Amino acid sequence: MDGIGNPTVISLQIGDLAPNFQARTTQGNLSLSDFRGRWLVLFSHPADFTPVCTSEFIALARSKERFDALDCALMAISVDSLFSHYGWIKAIRDNIGVEINFPIVEDPSQVIGRAYGMITERSQDASAMRSSYFIDPNGIIRAITCYPATIGRSVEEMLRIVAALKRVDKGEAVTPEGWMPGEAILLPPPVDPASFEKSVSDPLWFYRLRDDSK
Ligand code: BEZ
């Protein structure tokens, strides 16, 4: 138990190495490490053949080229079997005309979901799983989101998170509220004494917006 009465649960945090795994997917056997060198959004969904998940998959498939433009792959995961995944993507193709163009991992044993903390001993069932892990080309988890089963994620926000992480990695920037690519960035706060001394003559030393359009 922790200090506030919850069972102690190990869950992954930003900065952790994403646990590697190998699994069957709708695009063959894949390992997480196959994606090294690219960005990856690994995202779980509560169950196949459910309305919110179907809406997310349609939107993600339609946005695949925008993720590709960010050099970012997509990989879905749920506890449903591979055969359920095949049935669902066929139903989406046949009835909605959308091809699900990213792999879906099967995790019936919940081994992967538990390793990531998507499911814990406190979860009532796998419908707790609507988490997204934004993993950098070195395999490090750089952002995590977690939504309830009843609320769909925003694909625009998923794209924005990847773009913002990439912009910050280019250096000399942190991204302000609602930042979109090309918009003004903020200079990182001055942390070492010399740069603090230098910037403190500016009354807005703590809020240095800079054009980033070039
Ligand atoms: C859905 O994706 O629509 C959903 C999944 C689990 C519970 C409720 C809704």
Side-chain angles (χ1 to χ4, degrees):
M1 290 282 177
D2 66 14
I4 50 173
N6 290 319
T8 305
V9 175
I10 309 280
S11 64
L12 292 174
Q13 296 185 339
I14 290 172
D16 288 344
L17 186 66
N20 195 26
F21 60 83
Q22 205 201 24
R24 297 200 303 188
T25 86
T26 50
Q27 296 185 0
N29 282 0
L30 287 173
S31 298
L32 190 88
S33 56
D34 296 334
F35 296 89
R36 284 286 168 90
R38 292 190 75 189
W39 286 81
L40 171 68
V41 183
L42 173 68
F43 59 98
S44 58
H45 65 281
D48 295 350
F49 293 102
T50 51
V52 176
C53 300
T54 303
S55 72
E56 289 183 336
F57 271 52
I58 292 168
L60 284 161
R62 287 182 172 149
S63 301
K64 169 85 166 31
E65 285 180 8
R66 294 173 68 197
F67 284 97
D68 286 342
L70 292 167
D71 195 23
C72 181
L74 296 171
M75 185 155 67
I77 176 169
S78 83
V79 299
D80 301 279
S81 73
L82 189 61
F83 307 105
S84 168
H85 292 337
Y86 283 138
W88 186 34
I89 61 179
K90 180 177 182 329
I92 293 173
R93 181 192 308 125
D94 293 351
N95 299 294
I96 306 173
V98 173
E99 189 65 44
I100 299 304
N101 45 15
F102 47 80
I104 314 174
V105 171
E106 68 162 2
D107 185 28
S109 63
Q110 305 181 1
V111 160
I112 303 167
R114 287 180 189 281
Y116 276 75
M118 298 171 186
I119 311 172
T120 71
E121 68 264 29
R122 282 193 283 150
S123 309
Q124 282 181 339
D125 54 52
S127 74
M129 287 176 59
R130 198 184 294 286
S131 305
S132 306
Y133 296 81
F134 297 80
I135 301 172
D136 75 14
N138 297 316
I140 302 296
I141 296 171
R142 299 289 301 280
I144 302 171
T145 65
C146 185
Y147 282 53
T150 46
I151 296 178
R153 286 161 283 212
S154 159
V155 172
E156 289 301 327
E157 179 63 2
M158 294 166 84
L159 286 159
R160 198 186 76 85
I161 290 171
V162 178
L165 289 166
K166 292 187 72 165
R167 175 60 192 92
V168 166
D169 282 3
K170 259 174 65 186
E172 283 300 294
V174 291
T175 60
E177 184 280 328
W179 177 87
M180 295 295 282
E183 292 182 359
I185 51 83
L186 289 161
L187 296 186
V191 280
D192 62 280
S195 54
F196 184 77
E197 275 307 315
K198 210 170 123 205
S199 57
V200 84
S201 57
D202 174 357
L204 275 181
W205 60 269
F206 55 91
Y207 183 67
R208 296 178 294 167
L209 267 178
R210 293 291 181 272
D211 179 73
D212 199 40
S213 55
K214 287 164 215 105

